[in-house]
Amino acid sequence: NALDVHQASHSEKIAILWEGENGDSKSISYGDLLNEVKKFANVLKSLGVKKGDRVTLYLPMIPELPISMLACSRIGAIHTVVFSGFSSSSLKDRIEDSKSSIVITADGGYRRGKVVPLKNVANEAIQGLNFVNHVIICERTKTDYDANPKDKKWNELMQDASAVQKNTSE
């Protein structure tokens, strides 16, 4: 509802004006943000996430972070946001505590002019955690990482995702 209430009168207004540390920038309107949130909510549902399931967000400060948070809320999934500067053991503790079935991360993130290899940290954190079914990766820094059979790329998942709202009570 945080986005739905703005559609009639503010759908073209800017909801997110984002600037990255490396100079990237993006403007997202309320209408576009709602569209992206609905699409990602449907992506999560297609991966088996339902009301009450838990999702860990280990992302840098990029637009995909609020999109993920709002999509989880939209379908009733519980999300935990983990600071992208945390180590693999700190991340693992939080994933274990929440029993998250999905981890959303990025290939890397910028921090004080350096690239932090978030996906490699996430790979180390999920070792031995059989309840983690999928790892969704946003491309941010184009950093190489070790692939994992649980990996799914954000862009590929969103490419064919529908923005049509499906039943949220499932």
XYZ file of all heavy atoms in Angstrom, residues 7 21 78:
26
model
N -0.466 6.188 -6.758
C -0.604 5.971 -8.194
C -1.570 6.938 -8.873
O -1.301 7.403 -9.978
C -0.999 4.521 -8.474
C 0.073 3.526 -8.070
C 1.446 3.876 -8.595
O 1.658 4.019 -9.794
N 2.416 4.035 -7.697
N 28.096 5.518 -5.460
C 29.426 6.028 -5.107
C 30.321 6.185 -6.332
O 31.180 7.053 -6.376
C 30.087 5.081 -4.087
C 31.409 5.582 -3.586
C 32.027 4.690 -2.525
O 31.288 4.164 -1.671
O 33.259 4.534 -2.550
N 8.930 -12.245 5.346
C 9.710 -11.512 6.344
C 11.097 -11.302 5.762
O 11.712 -12.251 5.266
C 9.785 -12.308 7.659
C 8.378 -12.537 8.196
C 10.667 -11.611 8.675
C 8.270 -13.668 9.194
